[in-house]
């Protein structure tokens, strides 16, 4: 329209010029998500909907871009003199013209020094691989959802009343924290971590995010110091996560499980490994679910003496159940409810086995005989619980991460300690739950990126009918990887699954710079007969505006993810940081490296053609 064409003709001409470019960008972007659709395991299930949603959205946007958008341009856009437009428009145009002039100057320098730019491109590949190796790796970012869960694990010989007192002390300390809203705690049976007498569970709700000064992690660190004063009842706190992969509840977020054929051997080696892990600074709240130090009293009956007194084992069993077994004796009915009445001794008689001396049994003659007259008890150690994994006895070591430590560092520290301890052949160790899923995802991340690159290369090769030009387009990706990982390091963020999704998105977003340049350069070569250098130079300048526009749109769209705060924002932040960092670095480099790569690969293409032609001529001769 600025060239003087009417809106309809301008819309048709403009859409015909960019239609293949838009098709290439959309098709290659959908190809990026093909490996995500084929991912297995828990991570694949989590992100399959993500990939499907984006793929369908891109396909629909392609249809809209090639149909509705040109129609709206023809109907709504009107040409006008630049002086008749808004001041903001004129100011932005001056800024863009200044950028374009400087880009023209610097691009000319880059094309005059192609070897330097090629070395810079190769260097970004090496730097991206090096950064990927050194960056701390995690699974999912730890979220601040405003909720905490806790487990109290007291001494294994503690009574119910003693455990109740410890639980009350812990709850009182937690309630006094200024950022805690309320606490719910319980002990006793109920499955999970509360199935033994010495274990209590609690759920803590923090104040609203706007009304508290500390994050969930800071609250846990503060409470950990205060709760250390409660002797004989260590408390393990962890933030409640929206996404948690694990088959059972434990005292901490991450688990390492030992399995063995012999329970005695398993107990011995699990304690040795636990002792070797305690000094490690990469682990906090380290604990074990081994419960083999409980105490029990075995009542031994002198049967001959009991028989002379007219007392049978059944009488003894009934009187002990009446005292300690909570025997139901009646039901009280009201208009709206019914109440079961149980019989038991007073709570103060539950505390010690010496209470057995105060128990009397009725003989056949009706006389009350003290239990101690024909029995004695023998205290001995026992297991409160024997845990199993895959039908084998198992002991699980649970741990949390201190601030600033990545899950990958903790996993490596545990693996090194396990090798140093030297577990026997009968003991097998493996990570469970979230830690196990992390190891699986860590092994699959390079394959996932490689599969995405191969899928994009195949799609671009089909569209351009070339083996060479897709490599030119893919050469834009290493700089995006450098930017993404460098941004994660700068903001002390782990390379998590969420950040990896951002890097995969970058593969689809960043290559649009190369597609715009290569597509226009190829059309200029074929239609205008320009040399490759002239064609790519013209393409860079002509496509500078849409390249800047699309990059800024994507960058500004990702900024809310990177800068957002509030409940659960930690889960989305690595995605925004990776995208913003990758776009900034890739935009700075690809505007100069892609033209140089295009020229070198075009020379390679011509060399291959000449080589094939010489072989064909030699064969005919």
């Amino acid at each position: 329209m600025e060239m003087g064409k009417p809106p309809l003709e301008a819309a048709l001409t403009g859409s015909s010029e960019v239609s293949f470019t838009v098709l290439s960008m959309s098709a290659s972007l959908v190809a990026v998500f093909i490996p995500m659709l084929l991912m297995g395991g828990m991570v694949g299930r989590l992100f399959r909907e993500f990939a499907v949603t984006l793929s369908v959205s891109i396909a629909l946007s392609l249809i809209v871009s090639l149909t509705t958008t040109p129609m709206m341009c023809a109907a709504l856009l009107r040409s006008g003199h630049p002086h008749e437009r808004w001041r903001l428009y004129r100011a932005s145009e001056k800024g863009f013209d200044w950028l374009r002039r400087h880009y023209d100057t610097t691009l000319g320098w880059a094309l005059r020094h192609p070897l330097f730019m090629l070395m810079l491109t190769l260097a970004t590949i090496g730097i991206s691989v090096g950064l990927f190796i050194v960056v701390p790796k995690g699974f999912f970012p730890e979220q601040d959802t405003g909720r905490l869960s806790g487990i109290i694990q007291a001494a294994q010989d503690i009574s119910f009343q003693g455990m109740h007192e410890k639980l009350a002390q812990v709850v009182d300390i937690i309630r006094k924290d200024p950022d805690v809203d309320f606490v719910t705690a319980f002990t006793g049976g109920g499955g999970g971590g509360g199935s033994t007498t010495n274990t209590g569970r609690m759920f803590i709700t923090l104040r609203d995010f706007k009304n508290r000064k500390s994050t969930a992690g800071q609250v846990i660190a503060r409470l950990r110091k205060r709760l250390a004063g409660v002797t004989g009842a260590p408390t393990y706190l962890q933030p409640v996560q929206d996404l948690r992969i694990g088959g059972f509840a434990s005292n901490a977020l991450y688990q390492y499980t030992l399995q063995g054929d012999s329970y005695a051997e398993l107990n011995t080696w699990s304690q040795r490994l636990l002792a070797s892990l305690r000094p490690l600074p990469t682990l906090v709240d380290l604990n074990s679910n081994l419960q083999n130090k409980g105490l029990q009293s075995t009542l031994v009956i002198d049967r001959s003496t009991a028989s002379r007194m007219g007392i049978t084992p059944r009488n003894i069993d009934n009187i002990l159940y009446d005292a300690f077994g909570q025997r139901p004796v009646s039901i009280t009915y009201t208009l709206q409810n019914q109440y079961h009445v149980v019989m038991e001794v007073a709570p103060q008689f539950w505390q010690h086995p010496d209470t057995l001396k105060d128990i009397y049994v009725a003989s056949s003659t009706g006389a009350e005989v003290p239990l101690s007259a024909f029995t004695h008890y023998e205290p001995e150690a026992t297991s409160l619980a024997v845990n199993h994994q895959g039908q084998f006895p198992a002991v699980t070591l649970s741990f949390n991460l201190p601030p600033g430590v990545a899950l990958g560092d903790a996993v490596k520290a545990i693996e090194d300690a396990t090798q140093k301890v030297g577990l026997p052949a009968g003991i097998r160790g493996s990570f469970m739950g979230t830690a196990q899923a992390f190891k699986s995802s860590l092994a699959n991340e390079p394959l996932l990126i490689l599969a995405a690159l191969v899928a994009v290369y195949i799609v671009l090769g089909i569209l351009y009918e070339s083996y060479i030009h897709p490599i030119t387009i893919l050469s834009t990706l290493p700089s995006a990887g450098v930017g993404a990982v460098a941004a994660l390091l700068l903001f002390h963020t782990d390379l998590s699954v969420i950040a990896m999704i951002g890097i995969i998105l970058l593969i689809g977003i960043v290559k649009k710079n190369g597609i715009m340049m290569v597509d226009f350069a190829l059309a200029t070569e074929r239609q205008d007969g320009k040399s490759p250098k002239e064609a790519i130079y013209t393409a860079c300048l002509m496509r500078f505006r849409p390249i800047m526009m699309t990059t800024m749109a994507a960058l500004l769209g990702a900024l809310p993810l990177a800068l957002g705060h509030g409940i659960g924002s930690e889960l989305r932040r690595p995605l925004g940081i990776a995208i913003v960092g990758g776009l900034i670095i890739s935009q700075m480099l690809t505007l100069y490296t892609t033209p140089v790569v295009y020229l070198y690969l075009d020379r390679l293409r011509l060399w291959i053609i000449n080589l094939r032609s010489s072989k064909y001529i030699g064969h005919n001769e």
Side-chain angles (χ1 to χ4, degrees):
M1 291 174 63
E2 291 177 355
M3 296 176 184
K5 294 184 178 182
L8 179 59
E9 182 181 354
L12 292 174
T13 304
S15 59
S16 63
E17 285 184 0
V18 299
S19 58
F20 188 77
T21 304
V22 173
L23 175 63
S24 301
M25 292 168 58
S26 301
S28 57
L29 186 53
V30 171
V32 171
F33 300 111
I34 293 177
M36 296 179 62
L37 292 172
L38 302 178
M39 283 179 64
M42 187 60 67
V43 177
R45 293 181 184 181
L46 287 172
F47 293 104
R48 190 166 294 129
E49 292 83 359
F50 176 80
V52 170
T53 302
L54 283 182
S55 299
V56 174
S57 300
I58 292 165
L60 293 177
S61 70
L62 172 63
I63 297 174
V64 171
S65 299
L66 297 179
T67 56
T68 306
T69 303
M71 178 272 293
M72 295 177 66
C73 290
L76 302 178
L77 292 184
R78 292 292 180 266
S79 60
H81 196 274
H83 295 290
E84 300 174 0
R85 295 173 178 168
W86 294 351
R87 293 181 179 178
L88 179 61
Y89 173 84
R90 296 198 299 268
S92 63
E93 279 299 300
K94 289 182 180 179
F96 175 77
D97 291 339
W98 180 86
L99 277 177
R100 191 174 183 277
R101 287 194 304 270
H102 282 74
Y103 175 59
D104 188 0
T105 304
T106 53
L107 177 62
W109 183 92
L111 293 177
R112 290 192 299 271
H113 301 82
L115 184 61
F116 173 79
M117 302 308 299
L118 182 63
M119 292 297 103
L120 181 60
T121 304
L122 297 176
T124 57
I125 299 176
I127 294 173
S128 63
V129 174
L131 289 177
F132 181 82
I133 294 174
V134 302
V135 65
K137 299 172 181 64
F139 189 53
F140 285 113
E142 187 176 286
Q143 292 177 267
D144 182 357
T145 60
R147 295 173 295 154
L148 307 177
S149 65
I151 294 180
I152 306 171
Q153 191 166 338
Q156 297 180 30
D157 59 349
I158 195 171
S159 65
F160 180 82
Q161 284 71 28
M163 184 64 201
H164 184 271
E165 293 178 4
K166 295 292 185 183
L167 185 64
Q169 293 180 40
V170 171
V171 170
D172 185 59
I173 292 175
I174 294 176
R175 280 178 176 165
K176 291 180 180 179
D177 190 278
D179 289 326
V180 172
D181 193 3
F182 62 88
V183 184
T184 301
F186 60 91
T187 185
S195 59
T196 54
T197 307
N198 68 320
T199 305
R201 294 180 64 85
M202 66 181 67
F203 299 97
I204 305 165
T205 301
L206 303 179
R207 298 189 185 278
D208 186 73
F209 195 83
K210 299 179 181 179
N211 298 328
R212 56 184 163 98
K213 301 178 180 179
S214 304
T215 63
Q218 293 170 338
V219 172
I220 290 176
R222 188 165 63 227
L223 290 175
R224 186 181 290 128
K225 296 179 181 178
R226 297 174 182 173
L227 294 173
V230 182
T231 58
T235 303
Y236 306 99
L237 300 176
Q238 53 185 295
V240 176
Q241 303 295 291
D242 290 337
L243 292 174
R244 176 169 178 174
I245 301 174
F248 56 90
S250 64
N251 296 351
L253 284 174
Y254 310 103
Q255 302 92 31
Y256 183 77
T257 299
L258 296 174
Q259 294 175 274
D261 303 325
S262 170
Y263 185 62
E265 185 181 33
L266 180 65
N267 292 346
T268 300
W269 285 98
S270 64
Q271 294 180 45
R272 290 182 184 179
L273 180 59
L274 184 65
S276 66
L277 293 177
R278 287 199 183 279
L280 297 180
T282 54
L283 307 176
V284 294
D285 297 337
L286 183 65
N287 62 92
S288 169
N289 68 347
L290 181 63
Q291 302 265 21
N292 64 342
K293 295 182 180 179
L295 295 178
Q296 71 178 9
S297 292
T298 302
L299 193 68
V300 182
I301 304 173
D302 186 345
R303 291 181 177 271
S304 60
T305 304
S307 179
R308 288 196 306 269
M309 295 179 178
I311 297 173
T312 65
R314 183 179 182 85
N315 297 135
I316 301 172
D317 182 70
N318 287 335
I319 198 66
L320 291 177
Y321 188 68
D322 290 341
F324 306 107
Q326 297 184 341
R327 182 189 298 278
V329 293
S330 68
I331 300 178
T332 300
Y333 295 94
T334 65
L335 294 177
Q336 296 182 341
N337 210 336
Q338 61 183 22
Y339 301 91
H340 293 263
V341 180
V342 297
M343 182 172 61
E344 62 184 11
V345 298
Q348 63 265 26
F349 296 107
W350 296 353
Q351 308 305 314
H352 199 273
D354 289 340
T355 303
L356 295 172
K357 297 178 181 179
D358 299 324
I359 300 295
Y360 287 78
V361 182
S363 66
S364 59
T365 61
E368 297 289 335
V369 181
L371 191 65
S372 58
F374 55 88
T375 65
H376 69 277
Y377 61 87
E378 298 177 351
E380 58 185 31
T382 184
S383 296
L384 296 183
V386 179
N387 300 284
H388 289 77
Q389 182 76 29
Q391 299 183 350
F392 287 95
V395 174
T396 297
L397 308 181
S398 304
F399 62 94
N400 286 324
L401 303 177
V405 175
L407 179 57
D409 298 333
V411 168
K412 187 177 184 304
I414 293 176
E415 290 176 341
D416 294 342
T418 303
Q419 292 180 358
K420 186 177 180 180
V421 170
L423 297 177
I427 305 295
R428 301 169 297 279
S430 61
F431 289 94
M432 302 300 296
T434 304
Q436 181 188 31
F438 163 74
K439 288 208 68 179
S440 300
S441 68
L442 189 65
N444 293 331
E445 282 176 1
L447 295 177
L448 182 62
I449 294 177
L450 180 61
L453 294 177
V454 171
V456 172
Y457 176 81
I458 293 174
V459 171
L460 292 176
I462 294 172
L463 291 174
Y464 288 100
E465 298 180 352
S466 171
Y467 295 103
I468 298 297
H469 292 305
I471 300 177
T472 306
I473 296 171
L474 293 177
S475 67
T476 60
L477 302 182
S479 58
V482 170
V485 180
L488 294 174
L489 289 172
L490 179 64
F491 289 94
H492 306 288
T493 305
D494 298 344
L495 179 62
S496 59
V497 173
I498 306 298
M500 183 56 61
I501 296 302
I503 293 175
I504 293 175
L505 280 174
L506 279 175
I507 295 176
I509 296 173
V510 170
K511 61 177 176 44
K512 52 89 182 172
N513 292 0
I515 290 176
M516 289 184 183
M517 295 179 187
V518 170
D519 187 60
F520 192 91
L522 290 176
T524 304
E525 280 190 58
R526 295 166 184 169
Q527 296 174 9
D528 301 337
K530 291 185 177 181
S531 65
K533 186 173 183 178
E534 293 175 338
I536 193 64
Y537 177 76
T538 305
C540 290
L541 295 181
M542 291 296 294
R543 291 295 172 90
F544 181 67
R545 180 188 291 271
I547 287 175
M548 294 296 295
M549 288 169 56
T550 52
T551 300
M552 288 300 297
L555 192 148
L556 294 176
L559 272 180
L561 298 176
L563 303 178
H565 292 279
I567 295 178
S569 63
E570 297 86 359
L571 187 65
R572 303 181 293 270
R573 191 170 299 136
L575 179 64
I577 291 175
I579 292 177
V580 171
L583 288 175
I584 291 175
I585 300 300
S586 66
Q587 188 75 352
M588 294 170 58
L589 294 179
T590 56
L591 288 174
Y592 302 100
T593 58
T594 302
V596 173
V597 174
Y598 177 85
L599 295 178
Y600 274 105
L601 290 180
D602 189 74
R603 295 175 189 174
L604 177 62
R605 179 183 64 85
L606 294 176
W607 179 79
I608 293 174
I609 293 175
N610 294 332
L611 183 62
R612 289 179 178 177
S613 300
S614 61
K615 288 184 178 180
Y616 178 76
I617 295 173
H619 178 72
N620 289 341
E621 292 177 352

